[in-house]
Amino acid sequence: MRGTVTLAGALSIPLFLPDGQPFPRPRHRDLPAFGVIATTLLVQGTTSEWLIHKLGIHGDDDRPKEELLARITAVDAGLKTLKAMEPSATTPRCRPPSTW
């Protein structure tokens, strides 16, 4: 996901103006975008682990419990919705194999 907005912005610049004239300097429009994307990926990718270690940041012990609670809540909501839809649910009719 990193760089998608930058790349989309660079690629959204038109090649031609509305009157058909070429857009000024279209050859160099992508190079700065790719440079920004590559730099952020390399800098963040190579320094994030080191920085987290130096700052002493560690994982949250409550995360597994919260994730389990979120999954249970989502499943309960889905089952409740399915049960509410059950009375009006119908099975679609299938055509006999000879008419396929």
Side-chain angles (χ1 to χ4, degrees):
M1 291 295 293
R2 281 188 198 147
T4 54
V5 174
T6 304
L7 186 59
L11 295 177
S12 69
I13 299 172
L15 295 176
F16 299 99
L17 296 172
D19 64 354
Q21 296 284 334
F23 196 81
R25 297 188 299 180
R27 294 180 300 174
H28 305 296
R29 70 177 181 178
D30 299 337
L31 187 60
F34 287 122
V36 168
I37 293 168
T39 302
T40 56
L41 286 174
L42 291 174
V43 171
Q44 290 176 357
T46 58
T47 60
S48 293
E49 185 178 355
W50 174 82
L51 183 61
I52 289 169
H53 180 68
K54 284 290 186 189
L55 293 174
I57 300 171
H58 49 81
D60 186 8
D61 295 335
D62 292 336
R63 182 179 174 152
K65 292 181 229 172
E66 291 173 359
E67 187 174 329
L68 180 62
L69 179 61
R71 288 178 186 269
I72 291 170
T73 304
V75 169
D76 286 343
L79 288 173
K80 184 178 178 182
T81 302
L82 287 173
K83 286 180 182 177
M85 293 171 57
E86 187 178 21
S88 64
T90 59
T91 305
R93 293 183 178 220
C94 293
R95 293 180 287 179
S98 61
T99 61
W100 289 358

